[in-house]
Amino acid sequence: MADCTVSIAGMGKAELSSSPAQTKLMPTGHKQAVVTAGRPLSDALNELLSKKQRKQAVAFRTGGKLYDLSAPVDRDIEVDFVMADSPEGLDIIRHSTAHLMAHAVIDLFGPEVKVAIGPSTDDGFYYDFDREEAFTPDDLEKIETRMLQLAGSVMPFERETAGKDEARRLFAEKHQEYKVELIDQIEDETVSLYRLGDFVDLCRGPHVPHSGLLQVFKLTRLAGAYWRGDEKRPMLQRIYGTAFPSPKDLKNYLFQLEEAKKRDHRKLGRELELFTIQDEVGPGLILWQPKGALMRKIIEDQWWAEHYRHDYELLYTPHIARRDLWKTSGHLDFYGENMYSAMEIDEVGYQLKPMNCPFHIAIYNTGKRSYREFPIRWCELGTVYRYEKTGALHGLMRVRGFTQDDAHIFCRPDQLEDEIYNILDLNMKVLRLFGFDSYDIYLSTRPEKSVGSDENWESATAALKMALDKKGYDYELDPGEGVFYGPKIDIKIKDKLGRSWQCSTIQVDFNLPERFALSYTGSDGKEHQPIMIHRALMGSLERFFGVMIEHYAGAFPVWMAPVQARLMNITDSQREYTEKVYGELRRLGVRVEKDVRNEKLNYKIREAQVRKIPYMLIIGDKEMAAGEVTIRLRDGENLPAMKIVDFAELVERQSAEEKKTSY
């Protein structure tokens, strides 16, 4: 019978050995153990891991799949132990804690509470419940207390396999109709169940060995969620939480969570008067207030300046188009459920645009194209409309109408690599300009369902890869996650709290040029099909703006702040001079506002600090006599008094320095 090699995940696999069962320290730092079929996995745990490590082992992996540590080993296999502090281990801990929470809810509020689903998430877990009474923050404290009691009882997670009919009966008897519905949608004839004490749940697993490993958690908030995300189905109560292997990890996370609350773009957007969303206008539709609109204009101007330097031309296209255009493009087939209903104009069907691509193609087709024209680089800040379910809407991050910083490049195959390289160069310049210099990059390859020849896919993927390598960027392969029409690069920026946000994307497209019969005359005099590249650097202005608010916590750099300075007089006797300074600063190009209310100076200063205004310009009798202003920074530091023109030059220098540093 062959031996089985066992190694710790993350430490590398031990070398195969035919020696008797043993544990020894290898020169490389690996630990080696020999396991044969039928031998308890606990023997390998005891031999391979220290006592401390054994407490951290939560599952094992073999053949690319994860299993409970209690799973029987009935054949010779090579396994990696999954430790609690690994990404997979953390996911298992959080999923197991969701079960623990559901157990506590049933214990506290009775078996009439119906449980729905409880997955792990990127930063924790949640569970959805159907209960007549609403949960309260006080209930969360009670649930946490009961969870700690259950964790302390060190109950094992026990996996069972049952036929679908048996499982249906089990959950039907408990009046858990959501579980019955889930079982009906499973194609296999058997399902897996997990028991934790007297609580049983439908689950694929795996889970930690016992509840004693689940003592570091926190329930964070309550929310509503439609069953299966369908607004026509029951509204459930969702309890969010998080869990970690160590108290230190949880403490750090909760600190980050508090910081995130302070930076919430919805809260700051309201306080700083940047944007508003109103029910009478419609959910997911943004109203840009004067300060937000001004800041958006500043962003757009910088965006266009960079594009002009990189040889792009600007386009503007309509908000609606004939329905037939979306049939040709394939959007009605692939994105129909995300498009708004058709409208009839002059007995012809029209629809709001979900994307800008077909319009740029229509412009391409206005004339015959030659290989000498390429590459053609067209960009547009185009507002598009996509249906999002009400429950998915979230401030600026998820909306129904948004402006893409869109661009399409038409090029020859021999130009593809250079164009991707140039896009990456522009992409990073724009991200750095707005303060983002940390990101993760993913290269997504051909999915199962796709269009285009193998040759096209291989050359496009190779071009993306070569451009990334040429730039020296670290990236991860994301197999099979390309779009149906071509491979892509995705860039997720990281904010000051280390959170990732999907923004930039570069996509190679073979589909639309074929659907719209695009062509150009090559150097050989024959007709050829161009390659089309879709790319967005910020993604959408709304989402990018929301990320920037949270990244800077509303304290924007001077160059992009919608209000760079606020003037404030001490008494009414300086009001006329304040008005004069206000007009002069605006003439000099400073974005300034005035506060000449009959309020105490300290009150005015505090309000300006809350509004995150970079400079507070104070005017009293002394300043008025000298033709100066006294300057206070938003962090409380004071600068010497200076002439109006000198202050305008200070703002200009500071803005230029900030932009220079960004590059």
Side-chain angles (χ1 to χ4, degrees):
M1 192 173 289
D3 296 326
C4 170
T5 301
V6 182
S7 65
I8 303 174
M11 294 179 63
K13 290 183 170 59
E15 297 175 4
L16 287 170
S17 171
S18 57
S19 58
Q22 59 180 313
T23 303
K24 66 179 181 178
L25 188 65
M26 303 296 289
T28 59
H30 294 174
K31 290 182 179 180
Q32 184 184 54
V34 176
V35 178
T36 55
R39 182 182 177 198
L41 196 63
S42 58
D43 287 357
L45 277 166
N46 292 333
E47 291 178 355
L48 181 64
L49 308 179
S50 67
K51 184 177 180 180
K52 182 179 180 180
Q53 289 172 326
R54 287 199 296 274
K55 290 181 179 180
Q56 293 296 307
V58 296
F60 73 89
R61 183 195 303 104
T62 185
K65 295 183 179 180
L66 295 173
Y67 296 88
D68 301 302
L69 287 176
S70 59
V73 179
D74 56 3
R75 65 187 187 282
D76 298 344
I77 56 174
E78 186 175 282
V79 302
D80 290 318
F81 288 116
V82 177
M83 312 306 283
D85 58 359
S86 68
E88 289 172 322
L90 183 58
D91 186 72
I92 292 169
I93 286 173
R94 288 171 170 171
H95 187 192
S96 300
T97 308
H99 280 237
L100 184 72
M101 179 177 72
H103 190 338
V105 168
I106 297 297
D107 279 1
L108 289 170
F109 302 102
E112 62 271 17
V113 177
K114 296 178 175 62
V115 294
I117 56 173
S120 60
T121 64
D122 289 342
D123 57 0
F125 60 87
Y126 68 80
Y127 218 118
D128 289 342
F129 301 95
D130 191 345
R131 178 177 179 243
E132 287 189 10
E133 295 182 48
F135 290 113
T136 67
D138 288 342
D139 290 335
L140 296 190
E141 292 184 14
K142 295 174 186 176
I143 296 168
E144 284 183 346
T145 300
R146 182 56 182 152
M147 289 171 68
L148 284 171
Q149 293 170 347
L150 293 170
S153 64
V154 193
M155 297 179 292
F157 276 86
E158 299 174 305
R159 188 178 192 274
E160 301 174 8
T161 301
K164 287 174 67 174
D165 289 341
E166 179 186 353
R168 278 194 202 95
R169 284 194 299 271
L170 171 67
F171 288 107
E173 289 170 1
K174 295 177 178 290
H175 305 289
Q176 295 293 343
E177 61 215 39
Y178 297 106
K179 299 297 179 182
V180 173
E181 182 178 330
L182 290 171
I183 291 168
D184 289 339
Q185 293 173 350
I186 295 173
E187 295 183 359
D188 296 338
E189 291 303 312
T190 60
V191 297
S192 58
L193 311 175
Y194 275 86
R195 291 186 183 274
L196 183 65
D198 57 5
F199 175 73
V200 61
D201 206 351
L202 176 72
C203 186
R204 187 180 296 110
H207 286 286
V208 298
H210 55 78
S211 63
L213 294 170
L214 308 176
Q215 306 209 34
V216 184
F217 57 81
K218 180 68 179 175
L219 302 187
T220 54
R221 62 189 175 96
L222 296 163
Y226 290 106
W227 172 235
R228 311 312 292 270
D230 187 343
E231 296 176 26
K232 297 178 181 178
R233 306 296 300 275
M235 170 65 80
L236 307 178
Q237 298 185 65
R238 177 170 293 179
I239 300 178
Y240 283 95
T242 192
F244 288 92
S246 75
K248 181 180 178 182
D249 292 333
L250 177 60
K251 183 179 179 181
N252 290 338
Y253 172 79
L254 294 177
F255 173 78
Q256 292 283 81
L257 202 61
E258 285 304 309
E259 281 297 303
K261 287 180 182 177
K262 295 175 187 175
R263 294 168 178 261
D264 190 321
H265 75 281
R266 294 167 299 178
K267 170 179 173 288
L268 290 173
R270 181 175 61 253
E271 292 174 355
L272 303 180
E273 299 177 335
L274 299 173
F275 70 92
T276 183
I277 303 171
Q278 298 179 9
D279 285 341
E280 54 265 38
V281 174
L285 301 175
I286 307 303
L287 300 173
W288 294 83
Q289 293 173 264
K291 292 182 178 64
L294 177 55
M295 189 170 172
R296 172 172 169 158
K297 177 67 164 54
I298 294 165
I299 294 170
E300 291 178 352
D301 287 348
Q302 291 299 318
W303 177 89
W304 168 238
E306 287 301 325
H307 280 74
Y308 185 79
R309 280 193 279 269
H310 282 75
D311 201 24
Y312 281 76
E313 294 176 297
L314 188 64
L315 302 180
Y316 289 106
T317 59
H319 291 244
I320 63 173
R322 288 177 181 264
R323 186 173 170 84
D324 287 346
L325 183 72
W326 308 113
K327 289 179 182 177
T328 303
S329 69
H331 287 101
L332 280 175
D333 293 331
F334 291 99
Y335 300 102
E337 62 183 20
N338 298 112
M339 296 175 67
Y340 282 96
S341 301
M343 62 187 86
E344 191 170 293
I345 303 173
D346 297 333
E347 299 182 354
V348 177
Y350 284 77
Q351 282 193 272
L352 284 168
K353 65 175 177 179
M355 295 183 184
N356 302 300
C357 336
F359 295 101
H360 293 199
I361 289 172
I363 294 172
Y364 180 95
N365 276 335
T366 55
K368 194 170 179 60
R369 304 290 174 178
S370 163
Y371 74 98
R372 298 180 187 276
E373 296 179 62
F374 293 137
I376 297 171
R377 305 184 184 105
W378 287 335
C379 63
E380 177 183 12
L381 291 167
T383 300
V384 299
Y385 303 88
R386 298 180 191 174
Y387 172 69
E388 296 280 358
K389 293 180 179 178
T390 302
L393 298 174
H394 180 75
L396 292 171
M397 305 304 193
R398 202 74 176 264
V399 296
R400 288 176 172 170
F402 58 93
T403 302
Q404 287 183 310
D405 71 313
D406 216 349
H408 295 94
I409 293 93
F410 301 90
C411 64
R412 305 188 307 263
D414 62 292
Q415 297 171 319
L416 182 58
E417 184 183 325
D418 284 343
E419 284 307 300
I420 295 166
Y421 182 89
N422 291 335
I423 293 170
L424 286 169
D425 185 51
L426 174 60
N427 206 143
M428 299 312 175
K429 279 187 177 181
V430 168
L431 293 180
R432 285 195 298 269
L433 175 64
F434 294 112
F436 299 100
D437 56 10
S438 180
Y439 33 76
D440 293 320
I441 302 175
Y442 300 87
L443 173 57
S444 301
T445 59
R446 187 173 191 169
E448 287 186 15
K449 293 183 178 179
S450 60
V451 297
S453 66
D454 292 342
E455 181 183 357
N456 281 342
W457 273 89
E458 289 169 6
S459 62
T461 304
L464 292 171
K465 185 177 185 305
M466 287 293 289
L468 288 170
D469 291 338
K470 190 174 180 181
K471 293 290 292 182
Y473 294 136
D474 292 328
Y475 60 91
E476 292 183 31
L477 278 176
D478 204 358
E481 292 302 315
V483 285
F484 73 94
Y485 51 73
K488 64 173 180 170
I489 293 171
D490 285 325
I491 300 174
K492 295 184 179 181
I493 60 176
K494 291 186 177 180
D495 65 16
K496 287 186 178 177
L497 295 183
R499 299 171 299 177
S500 293
W501 303 92
Q502 173 63 54
C503 286
S504 311
T505 187
I506 305 168
Q507 303 173 356
V508 180
D509 186 0
F510 314 116
N511 179 55
L512 287 182
E514 183 175 341
R515 278 179 172 266
F516 284 93
L518 302 190
S519 66
Y520 67 91
T521 304
S523 58
D524 58 1
K526 297 179 180 178
E527 294 299 299
H528 300 269
Q529 183 174 292
I531 292 177
M532 184 177 183
I533 305 172
H534 306 251
R535 55 109 282 211
L537 309 184
M538 296 183 288
S540 82
L541 282 183
E542 285 75 9
R543 191 162 188 264
F544 193 77
F545 192 71
V547 174
M548 282 206 306
I549 293 173
E550 300 199 2
H551 181 62
Y552 288 108
F556 302 110
V558 173
W559 78 265
M560 72 168 76
V563 179
Q564 295 171 319
R566 178 181 282 188
L567 283 161
M568 50 191 75
N569 57 325
I570 296 177
T571 68
D572 274 347
S573 63
Q574 302 99 33
R575 181 165 186 162
E576 185 177 343
Y577 176 70
T578 302
E579 296 281 1
K580 179 182 177 182
V581 173
Y582 172 75
E584 181 66 11
L585 285 174
R586 285 180 70 92
R587 187 184 68 79
L588 292 169
V590 178
R591 298 190 292 275
V592 62
E593 63 183 22
K594 58 192 174 184
D595 185 350
V596 293
R597 295 174 298 169
N598 187 22
E599 298 284 358
K600 291 182 179 180
L601 180 62
N602 285 340
Y603 177 84
K604 293 181 179 182
I605 289 173
R606 281 196 302 273
E607 188 173 273
Q609 286 177 317
V610 168
R611 297 295 177 90
K612 317 279 188 179
I613 296 171
Y615 299 104
M616 285 152 271
L617 308 183
I618 300 167
I619 297 176
D621 288 339
K622 179 182 174 183
E623 287 80 9
M624 184 170 63
E628 296 178 338
V629 290
T630 291
I631 303 167
R632 181 184 177 93
L633 305 183
R634 61 186 163 199
D635 64 3
E637 181 184 351
N638 292 310
L639 299 181
M642 61 179 69
K643 299 291 185 182
I644 308 307
V645 68
D646 292 335
F647 173 72
E649 290 175 358
L650 170 66
V651 172
E652 187 176 354
R653 285 197 308 273
Q654 178 66 24
S655 298
E657 186 61 33
E658 287 171 346
K659 291 182 186 180
K660 183 179 178 182
T661 303
S662 298
Y663 282 97

